[in-house]
């Protein structure tokens, strides 16, 4: 692992690091904010998974999460959204290829050699983080925006007991029935739709739900509502009697202005779950 940068922020340190990833067969970059409390011992970890076209940097710079995490004594990790570099497949469509890993393990060419973001985020990067930094593995939460919200919800429901809390900002809720899902799953996973279900938050909610508190925020003026399908997840939560909160925020769109507005709520939500 190599240090790209480390900057003092809110009494803690915002770092950026690169490492050679076995899962993605390329160098990967992530951001990690450690609050001042980490100087005295392991601190809880909140994952933030970003959306289409993003790198590790978007949420790290725009979401305003460090201020609230510093007050709560929580570390934040900002993984990249896909493999990158020379020899890594790409596509002119911004919703496929580099910047659009969709948090799945691709099984189809030309994506399979590098696009293994599920293994990277759920296995390889956690092992690196908990070995290298003062982080409490037993106290984790996960959140994300858009494609990252999809990743946060599907990962949270797929690893019972790992995360004490889960939240999402404008997640892609039902990708198996959306233009943000069907083309990408076809490309990465093939045309057998039975393999897609494990990566659809609405279907996972209907089948198993999440074993902890859940918070979802969605803007009513989001320009991508038809692709996000929030109503499907809300109905699934109600049907599964999932404990949690689904909020439609009047007038907000899909941007980081929306994310940063409600970031304090989400960090506080996770902090309360960590205390429990």
């Amino acid at each position: 692992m190599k240090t790209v940068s480390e900057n003092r922020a809110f009494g803690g340190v915002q770092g950026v690091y690169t490492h050679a990833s076995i899962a993605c067969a390329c160098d990967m970059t992530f951001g990690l904010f450690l609050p001042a409390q980490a100087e005295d011992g392991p601190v809880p970890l909140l994952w933030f998974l970003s959306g289409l076209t993003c790198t590790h940097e978007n949420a790290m710079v725009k979401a305003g999460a460090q201020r609230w995490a510093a007050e709560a004594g929580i570390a934040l990790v900002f993984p990249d959204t896909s493999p990158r570099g020379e020899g890594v497949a790409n596509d002119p469509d911004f919703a496929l290829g580099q910047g659009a890993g969709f948090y799945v393990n691709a099984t189809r060419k030309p994506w399979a050699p590098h696009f293994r973001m599920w293994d990277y985020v759920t296995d390889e990067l956690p092992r690196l983080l908990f070995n290298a930094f003062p982080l409490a593995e037993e106290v984790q939460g996960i959140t994300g925006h858009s494609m990252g919200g999809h990743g946060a919800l599907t990962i949270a429901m797929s690893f019972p007991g790992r995360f004490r809390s889960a939240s999402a900002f404008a997640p892609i809720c039902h990708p198996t029935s959306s233009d943000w899902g069907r083309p990408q799953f076809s490309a990465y996973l093939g045309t057998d739709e039975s393999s897609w279900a494990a990566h659809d938050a609405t279907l996972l909610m209907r089948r198993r739900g999440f074993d902890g508190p859940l918070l979802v925020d969605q803007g009513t003026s989001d320009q991508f509502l038809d692709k996000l399908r929030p109503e499907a997840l809300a109905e699934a939560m109600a049907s599964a009697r999932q404990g949690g909160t689904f909020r439609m925020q009047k007038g907000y769109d899909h941007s980081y202005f929306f994310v940063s507005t409600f970031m304090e709520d989400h960090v506080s939500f996770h902090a309360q779950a960590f205390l429990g």
Side-chain angles (χ1 to χ4, degrees):
M1 188 174 62
K2 297 179 181 179
T3 300
V4 176
S5 62
E6 290 184 331
N7 299 96
R8 200 72 174 164
F10 300 102
V13 175
Q14 176 62 66
V16 177
Y17 309 93
T18 63
H19 68 106
S21 167
I22 295 173
C24 296
C26 65
D27 286 347
M28 295 292 288
T29 303
F30 65 92
L32 178 69
F33 172 73
L34 287 174
Q37 293 87 334
E39 297 175 6
D40 299 321
V43 295
L45 177 64
L46 178 59
W47 293 76
F48 189 104
L49 305 186
S50 291
L52 290 167
T53 76
C54 291
T55 68
H56 69 283
E57 191 173 35
N58 296 72
M60 187 181 80
V61 173
K62 296 179 179 180
Q66 291 89 342
R67 174 184 175 183
W68 312 114
E71 290 186 6
I74 295 171
L76 300 165
V77 63
F78 305 95
D80 202 348
T81 58
S82 78
R84 300 178 193 273
E86 186 177 351
V88 176
N90 201 11
D91 191 278
D93 182 355
F94 76 93
L96 186 67
Q98 295 187 34
F102 267 81
Y103 304 100
V104 302
N105 285 339
T107 58
R108 306 280 291 181
K109 294 181 179 180
W111 314 106
H114 298 282
F115 281 74
R116 301 189 61 81
M117 289 301 294
W118 181 269
D119 282 354
Y120 178 70
V121 171
T122 66
D123 181 42
E124 184 176 29
L125 184 55
R127 284 190 285 108
L128 185 155
L129 291 172
F130 294 118
N131 284 330
F133 299 98
L135 302 169
E137 186 172 2
E138 71 278 8
V139 189
Q140 297 182 66
I142 191 167
T143 187
H145 174 227
S146 193
M147 180 187 72
H150 140 78
L153 295 176
T154 56
I155 289 170
M157 286 186 276
S158 298
F159 290 88
R162 177 179 295 194
F163 301 99
R164 293 198 180 181
S165 47
S167 71
F169 300 86
I172 301 174
C173 295
H174 199 9
T176 60
S177 66
S178 167
D179 288 342
W180 277 358
R182 293 189 64 82
Q184 293 78 16
F185 288 176
S186 294
Y188 294 145
L189 304 175
T191 57
D192 179 3
E193 296 188 18
S194 65
S195 66
W196 302 358
H199 300 287
D200 186 304
T202 294
L203 299 181
L204 287 172
M205 181 61 66
R206 291 173 184 167
R207 191 164 80 242
R208 64 175 70 154
F210 176 60
D211 58 345
L214 181 65
L215 173 63
V216 178
D217 274 312
Q218 171 64 63
T220 63
S221 296
D222 193 313
Q223 59 271 45
F224 303 115
L225 275 173
D226 289 344
K227 293 181 171 66
L228 300 173
R229 298 289 312 279
E231 69 284 352
L233 180 61
E235 291 169 1
M237 287 176 64
S239 177
R241 299 180 180 178
Q242 171 71 45
T245 303
F246 193 110
R247 308 189 299 192
M248 296 296 295
Q249 302 289 2
K250 186 172 177 59
Y252 285 90
D253 59 17
H254 199 70
S255 69
Y256 269 96
F257 294 110
F258 157 66
V259 173
S260 61
T261 297
F262 299 102
M263 181 55 71
E264 180 184 7
D265 287 359
H266 282 245
V267 174
S268 295
F269 163 78
H270 289 282
Q272 290 174 9
F274 295 164
L275 288 172

